[in-house]
Amino acid sequence: MMLRRLPGLAVVALLSAGCGSASNGSANQGTTTGGGAGSGDAGTLADGAPVAGETDGTGGGSSGGQTDTGGGIDAGTVVDTVSTKPADCGSAASCIANCKEGGPAGCVAGCILDTPASASTELKALLSCVDTTCKATVCKAGDTACLDDCVDTYCLPELLGCLENGSVGEATCAKGAACIDICNDLDNPWTCLSTCWNGMSANGKSRAAAYAGCAAAAKKAGEKVDGACLVEIATCFGDGNPGTGKCYGIFDCIGACKKAGGTDDVCGLQCVGQLDDAAKAEFKALSGCWEGEFAKTSACQQAFLTCTAPAGTLDCAGALTCAGSCMGGDESKAPGCMFSCMHQSTAAGAKAYLALFSCESSGLCPDKLVTCANPSGSKGCSDTFGCVQACVGGGSGEPIGCVVSCMGAADAQGAKLLAEVMACDDACKKSCNGDGACKEACTKKDCTNQVAACIID
């Protein structure tokens, strides 16, 4: 997504001027007394230079009486290379980014000294975060990629605070994000970034800040931004209007959008954006439940049940049959079919349907199949076994639904005995380590007792 690049390259351009670094490339922290990040003398921020208005030729004393043992630069040694003095924090950052490596030693300090008092707090906070957090504790000297990620994670509020000059425009979040994406390809993106940010409407800024904050939190937690912040991304690109859609209908929306020629990304964002607030929250709760065995945890099962909102009459077997018919062998349709069929199910049917996918087994999960089938017929295990074999080996397009239907026609004892045969066979095949001949022999070789009990039932 475009907006996710907002912090990174801009800060690298700022850092490339040597801001906050000693001549050997290591972090020049400086030591302040009585204050943390953002409270000390600018000697901790940029080549030992004092903040605008805080001149000290001996050690960089701040206006609050704090001392900096890192070595301040006398304001008289600053080389004024700035033709246009910074008007705000963003333009001050741009000024610093324009200070080329190998240029006048006082260039960075000159930018800071020329920064108006109204913006010095924001600039100081950003540079202090970069210097004392990213350069001093997180990243190695010269590792711009690390600095990029560090600012994304730890200094995002300070970055947005520096861009903010109090102006608002009419641009939506989506247009502002597109503008910001272009800025990041510039050698010095700060003026561009400030123009884009402050050209957004108040609503656009709010949406962009919500995404940026979510992205930073996701990175810090080691989560994938696209999943954790999908709602915030969609809200930004939805640009406007509160949605009315329900969570269970999102794949129908995506399908219709794609049929009309939309791409996966565009349709996904549009359709999430069209959900109402409750549905957005319900869909976001599924962000960690799509990979692997999606319903393995009870939290994910509950999230799927909440989103799909079962309100129909299908039992578990009916849901399985519905999903098999809906997919028609096309696995790409699986999520949409699952949502649709669960919505058409009863709460108990949908819950049993999900339970089939939560077990550790890679086979048919026999005990869960029995629960799903809810056997209420009169057939014994032997007849049911024959029915199941026909499902698995007879080319059925929906074998699991077929198996559950067979078990549903059995009596309770017959279904129980058949589940024991399946469990034994599944355990045997797992121990074969991929050996086809071994798997073929399992039922006849290792599960004879269970098979015999089934036959005489």
Side-chain angles (χ1 to χ4, degrees), residues 60-361:
S62 73
S63 59
Q66 297 165 333
T67 58
D68 178 4
T69 60
I73 294 177
D74 190 317
T77 67
V78 171
V79 177
D80 189 359
T81 61
V82 183
S83 59
T84 302
K85 293 187 177 183
D88 51 37
C89 183
S91 56
S94 178
C95 174
I96 293 171
N98 279 330
C99 292
K100 306 300 182 183
E101 291 187 25
C107 178
V108 171
C111 294
I112 294 176
L113 284 171
D114 284 335
T115 301
S118 59
S120 63
T121 299
E122 288 78 12
L123 181 64
K124 186 175 183 179
L126 174 60
L127 296 179
S128 182
C129 182
V130 173
D131 195 38
T132 61
T133 299
C134 297
K135 299 186 77 175
T137 63
V138 178
C139 301
K140 295 180 180 179
D143 189 346
T144 56
C146 176
L147 288 170
D148 227 14
D149 289 339
C150 179
V151 175
D152 279 359
T153 303
Y154 296 104
C155 305
L156 199 54
E158 290 82 359
L159 176 65
L160 296 182
C162 187
L163 289 177
E164 178 62 58
N165 67 13
S167 301
V168 293
E170 298 181 356
T172 61
C173 181
K175 288 183 179 179
C179 180
I180 285 169
D181 196 40
I182 294 172
C183 296
N184 278 298
D185 293 327
L186 304 177
D187 289 337
N188 179 357
W190 280 92
T191 300
C192 179
L193 285 170
S194 181
T195 300
C196 295
W197 178 259
N198 293 294
M200 290 189 202
S201 66
N203 180 272
K205 284 184 178 181
S206 176
R207 291 177 178 219
Y211 166 71
C214 178
K219 283 194 172 188
K220 191 178 294 186
E223 299 174 349
K224 292 185 178 180
V225 174
D226 283 354
C229 305
L230 178 61
V231 169
E232 287 76 9
I233 298 170
T235 299
C236 176
F237 284 84
D239 276 338
N241 302 317
T244 58
K246 301 303 179 185
C247 191
Y248 60 81
I250 186 168
F251 285 101
D252 289 338
C253 173
I254 291 173
C257 174
K258 290 173 68 176
K259 189 174 181 179
T263 64
D264 285 339
D265 284 345
V266 169
C267 291
L269 290 173
Q270 286 182 355
C271 291
V272 173
Q274 290 174 22
L275 300 177
D276 64 28
D277 289 343
K280 284 187 177 77
E282 291 165 3
F283 192 71
K284 185 175 182 178
L286 293 171
S287 62
C289 299
W290 294 105
E291 296 181 4
E293 297 178 39
F294 66 85
K296 184 179 293 186
T297 66
S298 58
C300 280
Q301 286 190 26
Q302 185 56 53
F304 275 104
L305 287 170
T306 301
C307 179
T308 55
T313 59
L314 296 178
D315 59 11
C316 180
L320 283 168
T321 301
C322 170
S325 299
C326 173
M327 285 189 286
D330 184 354
E331 289 295 325
S332 67
K333 297 180 180 179
C337 290
M338 181 189 77
F339 272 43
S340 175
C341 294
M342 285 182 65
H343 185 61
Q344 296 175 56
S345 301
T346 63
K351 188 173 183 179
Y353 172 88
L354 278 176
L356 284 172
F357 302 96
S358 66
C359 62
E360 296 293 336
S361 170

Side-chain angles (χ1 to χ4, degrees), residues 417-443:
L417 292 173
L418 180 57
E420 291 174 357
V421 174
M422 290 180 172
C424 176
D425 187 62
D426 188 50
C428 175
K429 287 178 178 176
K430 281 185 176 180
S431 69
C432 287
N433 296 319
D435 185 331
C438 172
K439 289 182 177 181
E440 288 292 331
C442 278
T443 305

